[in-house]
Amino acid sequence: MSETTMKFKRKGTLLSRAEIEGFYRTKYFSLFMNAYKFKGLNEQQERFLLTQFWEIGSINAFILEGSKPESIAIKGEESPQGELILTPYAPSMYNIYNYPTRVRAVRLRGASFIPQTDMKVNEDCVLGWAHTSHNPVRTIVEFYVKKITDVEMTIRTHLFVQKLPRLIKCTPENESRVKQLMNDIEAGENRIYLTSDDIKDIESVLESGGTYVIDKLYSYKLNLEKELMTIMGIDNIGFVKRERENNDEINANNEEIDNGGDCFLDEMKKFTKGVSEILGYDLDVEEKQPRVEFVEQGIENQQGDQNNED
């Protein structure tokens, strides 16, 4: 009977590029999912809507047929608004401005109640987008995720280089003397007397640590994350040392964050307004975190005033 040898591939302890990208992708997916609150949707509907915005950038909304009673009021209260259905969609007709005018809802999970007939946009249904570019949020984030991962990989390489030991070239004849010289250097001796042969031997020491640039790479990574958070309309105060900025720089940064946030919120507001006015279903959206405030006085001036008070 022949012997069978089994070989197991040992998994390294270092994170792969895919794992690093996955970490940052999850980080910014979570920040986006936690940035908005839709009044009129339950938890499952809100998560589905934001996930669709992240993955495909748009959504189709319509009222389920037969879910909205014809009676106007019951016991003095308004009747239910019907059941709002959110689905992906496939456009079946466009106008000359490349805007969908008729769409067909995608039937998810085999849901038979989702109609398979064309819907007229802004009559039977309302379309919504996550961003003014009409692109998925994921594609916006992905550009920065890849750049941030590149920097992370470069930092890891430099950390490895920095951990390399000092390489010393010697011969059997001068090995003991070279070892003594290196021990004296590492011991911090103030004076070491060398012969001409010692100088020749010590020149064979190879500095393998390389130039230290990890701090610059890390600063660059933070700047990339700051840019991404600005584009997403998220306050990046954690990436900025405000005491080093004057009021003009702080206000300029706040304005960029507001502009980035408007690219998302304005499109979502158009969607919720259309659902409310066209479908008759009350829906609104708001940001969970308040917008950053503009400052009237720079940090340096504030600190100066405090010193004067003291």
Side-chain angles (χ1 to χ4, degrees):
M1 180 181 292
S2 60
E3 295 184 356
T4 302
T5 303
M6 298 182 66
K7 296 182 179 180
F8 296 92
K9 185 177 181 180
R10 185 176 181 180
K11 185 176 181 181
T13 57
L14 293 177
L15 293 175
S16 66
R17 181 183 183 90
E19 289 172 324
I20 296 174
E21 287 185 357
F23 168 80
Y24 282 105
R25 197 176 292 115
T26 300
K27 174 181 178 178
Y28 287 101
F29 171 73
S30 301
L31 288 175
F32 172 73
M33 294 291 288
N34 198 47
Y36 302 96
K37 175 64 179 177
F38 285 83
K39 297 180 179 180
L41 300 182
N42 60 39
E43 183 179 348
Q44 293 180 11
Q45 288 175 314
E46 182 178 86
R47 180 172 181 82
F48 177 78
L49 172 61
L50 290 172
T51 301
Q52 291 298 299
F53 278 165
W54 174 272
E55 289 292 340
I56 62 178
S58 62
I59 197 73
N60 173 42
F62 62 93
I63 299 295
L64 182 63
E65 186 177 358
S67 66
K68 189 173 183 179
E70 297 296 331
S71 57
I72 301 300
I74 301 176
K75 295 182 180 180
E77 298 179 358
E78 292 185 0
S79 60
Q81 304 172 84
E83 185 174 356
L84 184 69
I85 304 297
L86 304 170
T87 68
Y89 63 93
S92 55
M93 187 177 297
Y94 292 86
N95 61 18
I96 62 172
Y97 304 110
N98 204 34
Y99 186 88
T101 56
R102 289 185 179 274
V103 299
R104 182 167 295 189
V106 175
R107 181 172 286 180
L108 298 175
R109 305 295 183 184
S112 59
F113 58 83
I114 297 178
Q116 293 297 282
T117 56
D118 283 357
M119 297 181 180
K120 193 170 183 179
V121 177
N122 293 334
E123 287 188 17
D124 304 322
C125 64
V126 173
L127 304 184
W129 285 269
H131 192 264
T132 53
S133 66
H134 287 197
N135 288 324
V137 180
R138 174 181 50 81
T139 61
I140 300 171
V141 173
E142 196 69 23
F143 172 79
Y144 280 92
V145 166
K146 291 187 179 300
K147 294 184 71 173
I148 292 169
T149 302
D150 283 340
V151 180
E152 284 278 11
M153 299 290 286
T154 306
I155 289 176
R156 187 168 73 181
T157 300
H158 278 269
L159 280 173
F160 175 77
V161 171
Q162 291 297 322
K163 291 189 293 185
L164 284 177
R166 182 176 291 153
L167 305 179
I168 304 171
K169 180 181 178 182
C170 58
T171 63
E173 291 76 17
N174 65 7
E175 180 179 357
S176 59
R177 179 54 181 162
V178 170
K179 285 182 178 179
Q180 182 60 47
L181 289 173
M182 295 307 302
N183 289 336
D184 292 342
I185 293 173
E186 292 177 356
E189 294 290 343
N190 292 328
R191 296 177 183 177
I192 299 176
Y193 298 94
L194 304 176
T195 65
S196 57
D197 291 335
D198 291 336
I199 294 175
K200 184 184 298 183
D201 294 336
I202 210 69
E203 285 178 348
S204 298
V205 177
L206 305 178
E207 293 292 346
S208 55
T211 305
Y212 186 83
V213 294
I214 295 176
D215 54 342
K216 296 179 180 179
L217 290 170
Y218 186 72
S219 178
Y220 176 51
K221 184 186 82 75
L222 291 183
N223 284 333
L224 288 175
E225 293 205 62
K226 175 177 176 289
E227 284 183 23
L228 177 53
M229 295 185 74
T230 299
I231 291 174
M232 297 180 70
I234 301 173
D235 188 11
N236 53 35
I237 188 172
F239 293 89
V240 181
K241 293 186 177 181
R242 292 295 174 92
E243 67 273 11
R244 296 183 181 178
E245 294 185 333
N246 57 42
N247 57 337
D248 291 334
E249 291 172 332
I250 293 174
N251 286 335
N253 181 65
N254 292 348
E255 185 176 2
E256 288 181 0
I257 294 174
D258 286 349
N259 292 338
D262 288 342
C263 290
F264 292 91
L265 189 61
D266 288 352
E267 283 297 321
M268 294 183 189
K269 285 285 188 182
K270 291 178 185 177
F271 170 64
T272 58
K273 182 179 179 181
V275 171
S276 299
E277 295 182 353
I278 297 172
L279 302 182
Y281 187 96
D282 293 335
L283 185 63
D284 197 10
V285 61
E286 62 181 21
E287 294 170 318
K288 286 187 177 181
Q289 298 296 328
R291 290 289 180 94
V292 289
E293 298 181 358
F294 287 80
V295 296
E296 298 180 357
Q297 186 179 28
I299 300 297
E300 296 178 357
N301 293 336
Q302 293 177 10
Q303 292 176 342
D305 293 343
Q306 292 176 357
N307 293 332
N308 292 335
E309 292 177 1
D310 296 339

